């Protein structure tokens, strides 16, 4: 008998989410710090059964830049890529703290009143991690070829992946600006929050976009330093993979980014997967995850 909820987007989204989070956490082969804060660490996964030099995939987890979501939920995806023959770096970074209740200075659990991101710490950390990676990976995973790096990220991590590949076009004077394009083979952004204006219009992740930049009073001032859609063109090979039935980050956000790239004279590949929501892209048991791995391989090899 057909599943009566199979064509209900909400029911399907719940099933996809449950599947993605059903996998056990996969411990890394090595962990290295890129700073003094407990969140300034990178987990490394060696390529399974491969001792030759292989590309390095840097993964940035999502979770709306909120503290309750850390890198552990992405470890099955990191292990999936390692089993596909890649070296993998799973980056942690500082995320939004809890907001104190009115009338008290005591922070409450962010499941109560979450804040997204920290300005400037979230961006400080991603920049520092990317800069430290070549030296750290040499010691942690000798098989990794730091000359062949692809950055990928899911959801809020997709935003950070696109941002990390655009640091050379940040405004003059930005502490994160690079003098030259980063040495990347490319970036594969998975359901990314890639256009902050469009995402804010759609209220993606319940106000997280505005919170990331420190509130409405700072949004326009800080957007040129944080919005991938503003930082175009980059000259970095870029692909976006997006589920057409994504309820968390609607595909209109990805389309807005691709349109902005086209207006800036740059082509961004967009793969829209039918009947796929938000989490199958990082779920090793989903067909969509194999599509993601192939997109990464096309750039990495």
């Amino acid at each position: 008998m057909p599943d009566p909820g199979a064509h209900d987007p909400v029911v399907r989204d719940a099933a996809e989410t449950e599947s993605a989070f059903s996998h056990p956490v996969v411990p890394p082969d090595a962990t290295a710090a890129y700073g003094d804060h407990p969140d300034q660490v990178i987990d490394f996964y060696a390529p399974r059964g491969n001792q030759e030099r292989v590309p390095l995939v840097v993964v940035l987890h999502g979770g709306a830049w909120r503290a309750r979501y850390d890198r552990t939920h992405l470890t099955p995806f990191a292990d999936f890529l390692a089993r596909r023959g890649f070296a993998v770096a799973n980056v942690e970074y500082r995320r939004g703290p809890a907001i104190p209740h009115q009338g008290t200075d005591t922070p409450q659990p962010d499941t109560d009143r979450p804040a997204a991101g920290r300005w400037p710490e979230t961006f400080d950390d991603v920049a520092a991690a990317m800069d430290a990676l070549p030296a750290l990976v040499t010691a942690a995973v000798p098989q990794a070829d730091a000359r062949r790096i692809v950055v990928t990220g899911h959801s809020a991590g997709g935003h950070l992946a696109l941002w990390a590949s655009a640091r050379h076009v940040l405004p003059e004077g930005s502490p994160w600006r690079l003098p030259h394009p980063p040495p990347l083979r490319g970036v594969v952004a998975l359901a990314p929050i890639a256009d902050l204006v469009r995402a804010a219009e759609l209220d993606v992740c319940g106000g997280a976009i505005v919170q990331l930049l420190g509130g409405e009073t700072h949004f326009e001032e800080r957007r040129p330093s944080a919005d991938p859609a503003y930082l175009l063109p980059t000259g970095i090979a870029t692909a976006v993979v997006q589920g057409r039935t994504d309820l968390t980050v609607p595909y209109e956000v990805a389309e807005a980014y691709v349109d902005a790239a086209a207006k800036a004279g740059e082509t961004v590949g967009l793969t829209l997967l039918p009947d796929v929501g938000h989490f199958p892209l990082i779920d090793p048991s989903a067909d969509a995850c194999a599509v993601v791995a192939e997109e990464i391989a096309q750039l990495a090899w």
Side-chain angles (χ1 to χ4, degrees):
M1 179 180 294
D3 180 358
H7 299 292
D8 184 325
V10 175
V11 172
R12 180 165 54 195
D13 178 73
E16 291 174 341
T17 302
E18 181 180 5
S19 176
F21 284 87
S22 68
H23 305 283
V25 173
V26 182
D29 297 304
T31 299
Y34 63 88
D36 296 330
H37 192 277
D39 284 336
Q40 293 175 322
V41 294
I42 304 173
D43 289 339
F44 292 97
Y45 294 79
R48 308 303 185 221
N50 192 338
Q51 299 304 313
E52 299 178 356
R53 300 280 279 176
V54 299
L56 172 65
V57 181
V58 181
V59 299
L60 292 155
H61 71 82
W65 313 281
R66 290 175 172 142
R68 66 179 296 195
Y69 303 102
D70 63 17
R71 70 192 185 283
T72 57
H73 79 269
L74 209 59
T75 64
F77 176 68
D79 178 66
F80 174 81
L81 294 177
R83 287 187 280 111
R84 289 290 185 115
F86 297 107
V88 182
N90 187 12
V91 176
E92 192 57 277
Y93 53 90
R94 283 174 285 181
R95 301 158 325 278
I99 300 175
H101 278 304
Q102 186 174 5
T104 176
D105 292 329
T106 303
Q108 302 300 313
D110 103 322
T111 51
D112 183 17
R113 295 186 61 189
R118 296 191 194 181
W119 184 278
E121 291 90 345
T122 297
F123 297 93
D124 287 343
D125 287 0
V126 172
M130 294 301 298
D131 292 345
L133 259 172
L136 294 178
V137 74
T138 298
V141 186
Q143 306 101 303
D145 186 350
R147 298 168 301 176
R148 290 184 288 171
I149 298 176
V150 174
V151 182
T152 189
H154 178 242
S155 194
H159 158 267
L160 294 173
L162 293 170
W163 180 85
S165 70
R167 289 170 58 202
H168 57 296
V169 293
L170 286 169
E172 293 284 352
S174 168
W176 310 305
R177 182 182 169 96
L178 294 176
H180 306 289
L184 303 175
R185 285 289 180 92
V187 56
V188 179
L190 314 177
I193 304 177
D195 185 310
L196 297 188
V197 172
R198 187 68 179 120
E201 291 172 349
L202 295 171
D203 194 28
V204 169
C205 299
I209 314 307
V210 173
Q211 292 173 12
L212 174 68
L213 301 191
E216 292 184 4
T217 58
H218 296 293
F219 189 85
E220 289 302 326
E221 166 200 350
R222 292 174 174 173
R223 188 172 74 86
S225 296
D227 188 353
Y230 189 95
L231 300 170
L232 288 164
T234 67
I236 302 293
T238 301
V240 174
V241 183
Q242 173 78 47
R244 188 175 284 276
T245 57
D246 192 329
L247 301 181
T248 303
V249 183
Y251 71 87
E252 288 88 349
V253 177
E255 287 189 329
Y257 176 77
V258 172
D259 289 346
K263 291 176 182 176
E266 190 159 82
T267 300
V268 170
L270 174 60
T271 301
L272 278 176
L273 301 178
D275 299 323
V276 169
H278 194 61
F279 285 105
L281 303 177
I282 58 168
D283 182 352
S285 65
D287 292 342
C289 202
V291 174
V292 169
E294 181 58 31
E295 290 283 350
I296 293 171
Q298 288 182 17
L299 291 176
W301 296 101

